[in-house]
């Protein structure tokens, strides 16, 4: 499908089918940068981006799009775009949007929002997810287009995320964080999410608090966001106190540069893992390490949790696996092992409980001396921020172990709630 648009001087422009899809995307996303448009189109080379810029300039001249400049520093800038009046008219004419959607004044107001970096950074994540998962047909929703109401008679939205993504009864609610919201505001938001998940038990609800970082350039310098990511994660955990957290609600705190990949795993149903999958990965990773790395002098013997936990220990807070550790046949210690998933707040709930048990043994028959938290990849172990320092925790990841079987396996120890340092198992 092509569309020929004539101007007053009878010169025209032919809009190709892929460009019509592009106009529909920009209409749906409200506002996007030229770089985000290039990502959505799958462009790679400088020449392709140069051609895109020329095409977007022509679209602007024909009022298909409206272009604005976002200034950075020293005369550097980039362009961002919203749908133009003619673009809305054509989409409506071709039946690609409904008459109810076609109010141009609504989109005109979006062109100059007070917090442009907030909105554009949100689209950075959304565009990446929608493009990378285009075969899965992820739905992308501006929150005011599908209002979250307690009941149909309400006039005021009960819940307003920054953006919503959905796929096969899995919803992702994006909350972009620039560091200005107080924890009392976060607590208020979380109380709404707890209620919303309880009201809609047939769906899985995933809330992503995404901290804006250096991966998206803005007029402000956000710097290292590790501490903020960790504080958010701990603060969200604190909001759970005294509340019944719905089983169909998962909450994450991650950096912008990591958000897209993690959200895609969530929408594909790859995470969060069920307990059997966690145990399988932990056992497999440890077996490979013991078999392949002759420099690691320890043997691990799995023991049943009933030998260590009292009946009073909540099953949902128990460590995934427990091992007795030996060296040359001599017992050394007992460790609890846990599979860690980047950004997932519920991880802290289990680590908190496990750390207390190591130190105070309230619900243990016999002592567990240390906790070993295992990630799947090195990116996860390096980028995740727990937000709480656990003195009895060793951290590792399967990917780093698999890269080098000729030396002692790499572990990490927290030096603060936001930072880790490399150590050995003997540390």
């Amino acid at each position: 499908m092509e569309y020929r648009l004539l101007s007053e001087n009878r010169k025209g422009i032919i809009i190709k089918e892929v460009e019509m899809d592009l106009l529909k995307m920009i209409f749906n996303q409200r506002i996007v940068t030229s770089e985000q448009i290039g990502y959505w189109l799958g462009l790679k080379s400088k020449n392709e981006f140069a051609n895109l810029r020329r095409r977007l300039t022509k679209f602007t001249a024909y009022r298909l799009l409206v272009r604005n400049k976002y200034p950075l520093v020293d005369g550097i800038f980039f362009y961002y775009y919203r749908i133009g009046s003619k673009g809305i008219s054509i989409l409506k004419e071709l039946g690609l949007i409904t008459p109810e959607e076609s109010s141009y004044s609504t989109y005109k107001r979006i062109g100059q929002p007070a917090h442009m970096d907030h909105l554009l950074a949100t689209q950075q994540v959304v565009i990446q997810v929608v493009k990378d998962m285009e075969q899965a047909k992820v739905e992308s929703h501006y929150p005011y287009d599908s209002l979250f109401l307690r009941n149909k008679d309400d006039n005021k939205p009960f819940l307003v995320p920054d953006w919503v993504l959905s796929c096969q009864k899995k919803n992702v609610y994006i909350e972009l964080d620039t560091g200005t919201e107080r924890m009392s505001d976060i607590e208020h938001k979380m109380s709404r999410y707890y209620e919303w998940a309880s009201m809609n038990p047939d769906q899985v609800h995933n809330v992503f608090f995404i901290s804006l970082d250096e991966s998206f350039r803005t007029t402000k310098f956000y710097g290292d966001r590790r501490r903020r990511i960790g504080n958010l994660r701990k603060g969200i955990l604190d909001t759970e106190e005294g509340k019944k957290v719905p089983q169909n609600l998962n909450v994450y705190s991650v950096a912008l540069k990591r958000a897209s990949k993690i959200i895609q795993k969530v929408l594909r149903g790859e995470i969060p893992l069920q307990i059997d999958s966690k145990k399988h990965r932990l056992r497999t990773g440890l077996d490979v390490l013991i078999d392949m790395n002759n420099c690691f002098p320890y043997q691990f013997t799995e023991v049943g949790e009933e030998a260590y936990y009292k009946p009073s220990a909540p099953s949902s807070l128990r460590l995934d696996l427990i091992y007795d550790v030996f060296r040359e046949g001599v017992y050394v210690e007992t460790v609890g092992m846990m599979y860690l998933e980047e950004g997932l707040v519920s991880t802290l709930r289990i680590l908190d409980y496990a750390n207390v048990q190591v130190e105070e043994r309230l619900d243990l028959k016999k002592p567990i001396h240390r906790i070993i938290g295992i990630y799947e990849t090195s990116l996860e172990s390096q980028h995740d921020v727990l937000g709480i320092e656990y003195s009895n925790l060793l951290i590792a990841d399967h990917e780093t172990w698999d890269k080098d079987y000729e030396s002692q396996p790499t572990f990490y120890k927290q030096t603060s709630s936001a930072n880790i340092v490399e150590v050995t198992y003997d540390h």
Side-chain angles (χ1 to χ4, degrees):
M1 176 182 66
E2 291 184 347
Y3 187 96
R4 184 175 180 85
L5 176 62
L6 296 177
S7 63
E8 293 178 358
N9 60 10
R10 308 303 296 170
K11 290 184 178 180
I13 179 174
I14 295 177
I15 307 171
K16 302 173 184 176
E17 183 172 0
V18 67
E19 293 173 331
M20 201 65 73
D21 292 339
L22 173 62
L23 292 177
K24 181 65 167 65
M25 182 275 287
I26 296 174
F27 171 87
N28 188 62
Q29 303 307 130
R30 266 46 179 190
I31 198 162
V32 291
T33 69
S34 50
E35 183 178 334
Q36 291 163 2
I37 293 173
Y39 190 95
W40 186 84
L41 290 170
L43 307 186
K44 303 293 184 183
S45 70
K46 290 183 178 180
N47 285 339
E48 287 176 320
F49 273 95
N51 290 334
L52 172 64
R53 285 192 292 270
R54 287 191 289 270
R55 193 65 173 167
L56 292 176
T57 298
K58 200 162 191 177
F59 276 23
T60 301
Y62 279 83
R63 292 182 290 118
L64 296 168
L65 298 174
V66 176
R67 182 173 71 182
N68 293 96
K69 185 183 292 187
Y70 186 105
L72 294 169
V73 293
D74 300 328
I76 300 173
F77 63 90
F78 61 78
Y79 288 120
Y80 61 90
Y81 299 83
R82 63 175 170 82
I83 196 73
S85 58
K86 196 63 182 177
I88 285 184
S89 175
I90 292 172
L91 291 174
K92 181 181 176 182
E93 179 185 337
L94 296 178
L96 297 176
I97 60 175
T98 64
E100 293 77 18
E101 294 178 296
S102 60
S103 173
Y104 178 62
S105 59
T106 300
Y107 293 86
K108 191 173 182 179
R109 288 198 300 272
I110 294 171
Q112 299 290 341
H115 304 289
M116 182 60 66
D117 51 352
H118 186 281
L119 184 52
L120 291 175
T122 298
Q123 291 308 313
Q124 185 88 344
V125 177
V126 173
I127 295 293
Q128 289 174 359
V129 173
V130 171
K131 174 60 180 178
D132 292 351
M133 294 186 66
E134 59 185 340
Q135 297 301 318
K137 301 189 184 308
V138 174
E139 297 179 14
S140 173
H141 303 284
Y142 181 58
Y144 285 99
D145 282 349
S146 50
L147 295 180
F148 297 84
L149 304 174
R150 269 199 179 98
N151 58 69
K152 62 181 180 180
D153 297 323
D154 283 353
N155 295 319
K156 187 176 180 180
F158 170 64
L159 192 63
V160 186
D162 291 320
W163 209 266
V164 182
L165 296 168
S166 58
C167 183
Q168 298 179 349
K169 291 194 174 183
K170 292 183 287 291
N171 299 322
V172 167
Y173 311 103
I174 293 176
E175 296 282 354
L176 195 94
D177 178 70
T178 58
T180 57
E181 281 191 294
R182 298 168 297 181
M183 287 314 303
S184 58
D185 298 325
I186 303 298
E187 183 176 4
H188 177 71
K189 281 185 178 181
M190 286 310 306
S191 67
R192 295 297 179 97
Y193 280 115
Y194 295 143
E195 188 173 346
W196 183 253
S198 299
M199 290 164 55
N200 297 274
D202 59 328
Q203 298 177 332
V204 180
H205 308 271
N206 303 277
V207 183
F208 272 79
F209 286 87
I210 301 173
S211 294
L212 206 162
D213 58 23
E214 76 286 352
S215 65
F216 183 79
R217 294 187 67 187
T218 70
T219 53
K220 301 175 185 176
F221 176 70
Y222 287 94
D224 185 4
R225 304 303 309 284
R226 291 183 65 83
R227 190 165 299 280
R228 174 65 177 179
I229 294 167
N231 288 342
L232 276 173
R233 198 170 179 183
K234 181 182 182 302
I236 294 165
L237 179 72
D238 292 341
T239 69
E240 296 180 357
E241 190 171 348
K243 296 183 178 68
K244 184 178 180 181
V245 180
Q247 294 297 305
N248 61 332
L249 175 67
N250 305 302
V251 187
Y252 295 80
S253 175
V254 298
L256 179 68
K257 59 190 169 190
R258 296 287 299 153
S260 169
K261 296 301 181 185
I262 300 172
I263 289 173
Q264 289 178 51
K265 287 184 177 181
V266 167
L267 290 175
R268 290 191 182 104
E270 297 173 9
I271 59 173
L273 292 178
Q274 299 300 311
I275 185 63
D276 288 344
S277 296
K278 293 179 183 179
K279 289 182 177 182
H280 174 72
R281 294 192 184 195
L282 289 171
R283 288 185 182 116
T284 301
L286 185 60
D287 287 346
V288 171
L289 176 69
I290 300 299
D291 290 343
M292 300 295 294
N293 193 321
N294 294 324
C295 298
F296 191 53
Y298 296 95
Q299 300 82 47
F300 286 66
T301 301
E302 185 178 342
V303 292
E305 64 175 34
E306 66 279 355
Y308 280 85
Y309 283 111
K310 296 177 183 178
S312 57
S315 58
S316 62
L317 297 179
R318 298 183 183 189
L319 292 162
D320 297 329
L321 295 171
I322 300 175
Y323 288 92
D324 286 338
V325 183
F326 299 85
R327 181 168 183 169
E328 296 179 354
V330 178
Y331 172 80
V332 176
E333 64 178 347
T334 298
V335 299
M337 198 167 284
M338 178 181 176
Y339 191 89
L340 300 179
E341 296 180 73
E342 184 179 352
L344 187 61
V345 171
S346 60
T347 298
L348 299 188
R349 201 183 311 142
I350 301 171
L351 280 175
D352 266 7
Y353 178 78
N355 201 58
V356 169
Q357 297 312 309
V358 169
E359 294 180 348
E360 302 179 20
R361 291 166 42 185
L362 300 175
D363 292 325
L364 294 180
K365 298 176 183 177
K366 297 188 291 184
I368 294 175
H369 301 97
R370 284 200 286 183
I371 308 161
I372 302 178
I374 307 290
Y375 295 95
E376 195 62 37
T377 70
S378 58
L379 281 174
E380 292 169 345
S381 65
Q382 296 304 304
H383 286 289
D384 195 24
V385 184
L386 293 175
I388 301 174
E389 185 176 359
Y390 297 104
S391 57
N392 302 296
L393 175 66
L394 272 182
I395 296 170
D397 67 79
H398 290 149
E399 183 181 26
T400 300
W401 281 356
D402 292 342
K403 284 180 180 178
D404 182 11
Y405 294 127
E406 303 302 321
S407 56
Q408 285 279 346
T410 299
F411 290 86
Y412 303 96
K413 188 82 174 173
Q414 289 178 288
T415 57
S416 69
S417 62
N419 296 297
I420 58 175
V421 64
E422 186 174 325
V423 296
T424 63
Y425 183 84
D426 298 318
H427 177 80

